[in-house]
Amino acid sequence: MSTPPQQPPSSPQQPQPPQQPAPPAPQPDQPPAIPPQPAQPVPSAQPAQPTAYPYPNPQSPPPPQNPYAQPTLATQHAQPQQPNPYAPQPGYGYPPVAAAPSGGGGGRAGQAVLWAAVGAVVASAAWAAGVFLTGGFGDSADLRGYQAPANLCSGADYSSFKDEYPEDDSSPTKNALKDPALDESYCSLSLKKTGSSYGDAYLTLQVDLHKKTDPGPEFTATWKNYGDSHTDYDVSPVSGIGDEAYLVTEDTSNGSSTSGSRYATLAVRDGWVTYTMSYSAYFSSYDNDTDPPSLDDVTGWLKTDTKSTLEQLKG
């Protein structure tokens, strides 16, 4: 009987590395793996069921938290706030909770818009009050019933000078202006003593109705400071005539009736109306007038006739 062949002796066994566990074989018919999603706060598996009590179950465990999930600014704004499953539900004794304003400055922006609207209302009210008190921007002139006549020589009063200068001027100079911005009347005439062939003195009158702009500031600057721009003139305020009035005088005659001159102007502003009345006399050795009136007499006549003329121009 033959014997089976013998196997050669095996070589000594080498130490083998520890075997690694093989990866689990894929299971058939399994859905593909879903990529990992950002960690989200995990609410409790089931919200508390409503019971006869309006409060959450005191023994319900708190919702599990992911200790590794860190909220970021982007996720805080991008993800909507998850509802609190333990909050009381409407219909169980509590009204719905009103939504609070967002923390992104919306409340401050709303307040800014509100204050801007309030400021606009206040500014509009102040503007309307200013227009009402000042009569508008030139649309309602303060003329106080004055009129500028076509012939101021016949519409003004200068009767106080008649005793000293009784002769009438047969051809006085007069003109008038009518315009949407200004009405103006002007008169210039000679004053003559009895027997004089030429004027011994001169009188000029002018009334201006300013219908678009208030003449007050310029009137004050011109007449109150007249002595600053014209040397040797005296300026004094006059009370009791219009809103403001100034008397401007100059005397270079030094008491002589053969040389020098005497000058006086009364300027008045009443509302947006201005009126001036001026007297001037020039002396020489050829004049017939050897006894001209003093400046005190002339300024008194100017005040009396100006008051009377202003009353007539309101007629």
Side-chain angles (χ1 to χ4, degrees), residues 81 96-104 106-107:
Q81 185 177 359
V97 180
S102 64

Side-chain angles (χ1 to χ4, degrees), residues 8-307:
S10 60
S11 61
Q13 295 182 353
Q14 297 296 327
Q16 299 293 329
Q19 295 183 353
Q20 298 295 329
Q27 299 297 325
D29 300 329
Q30 293 294 329
I34 300 175
Q37 301 292 328
Q40 301 290 339
V42 181
S44 63
Q46 294 293 333
Q49 298 297 325
T51 65
Y53 300 95
Y55 303 99
N57 187 349
Q59 297 181 359
S60 300
Q65 301 293 332
N66 186 349
Y68 301 101
Q70 297 297 328
T72 63
L73 182 60
T75 58
Q76 288 178 358
H77 288 282
Q79 299 295 332
Q81 185 177 359
Q82 298 294 331
N84 183 1
Y86 299 101
Q89 301 298 319
Y92 289 91
Y94 293 90
V97 180
S102 64
R108 294 182 180 178
Q111 292 178 0
V113 172
L114 175 61
W115 283 113
V118 172
V121 172
V122 173
S124 298
W127 175 85
V131 171
F132 175 78
L133 293 176
T134 60
F137 301 99
D139 294 334
S140 180
D142 185 14
L143 301 181
R144 304 185 181 182
Y146 286 99
Q147 300 292 329
N151 185 354
L152 186 59
C153 293
S154 59
D157 181 16
Y158 50 93
S159 57
S160 295
F161 292 84
K162 288 294 185 179
D163 289 341
E164 186 74 23
Y165 305 100
E167 298 291 332
D168 292 331
D169 186 350
S170 58
S171 58
T173 300
K174 59 183 182 298
N175 56 56
L177 169 67
K178 296 289 184 180
D179 186 85
L182 177 70
D183 286 354
E184 181 180 271
S185 292
Y186 172 83
C187 172
S188 177
L189 50 85
S190 299
L191 299 175
K192 300 178 182 179
K193 289 192 173 184
T194 303
S196 296
S197 301
Y198 301 99
D200 297 302
Y202 302 91
L203 199 63
T204 60
L205 310 90
Q206 180 170 323
V207 60
D208 292 277
L209 278 60
H210 305 263
K211 298 187 289 185
K212 292 295 183 181
T213 56
D214 181 2
E218 293 184 3
F219 177 89
T220 304
T222 298
W223 294 105
K224 183 179 180 180
N225 305 310
Y226 195 89
D228 296 339
S229 56
H230 300 76
T231 58
D232 299 327
Y233 284 84
D234 296 324
V235 180
S236 58
V238 178
S239 60
I241 305 178
D243 291 335
E244 60 177 327
Y246 299 93
L247 181 64
V248 178
T249 59
E250 181 195 38
D251 188 352
T252 62
S253 65
N254 296 320
S256 172
S257 61
T258 59
S259 64
S261 62
R262 293 174 187 172
Y263 170 85
T265 293
L266 180 59
V268 180
R269 181 188 65 82
D270 194 13
W272 288 20
V273 177
T274 58
Y275 178 78
T276 56
M277 190 174 190
S278 301
Y279 167 91
S280 57
Y282 306 92
F283 309 133
S284 72
S285 58
Y286 300 100
D287 292 332
N288 295 328
D289 186 9
T290 58
D291 186 21
S294 66
L295 271 182
D296 288 341
D297 291 337
V298 169
T299 56
W301 300 338
L302 289 176
K303 294 176 183 178
T304 299
D305 289 348
T306 294
K307 290 180 180 179

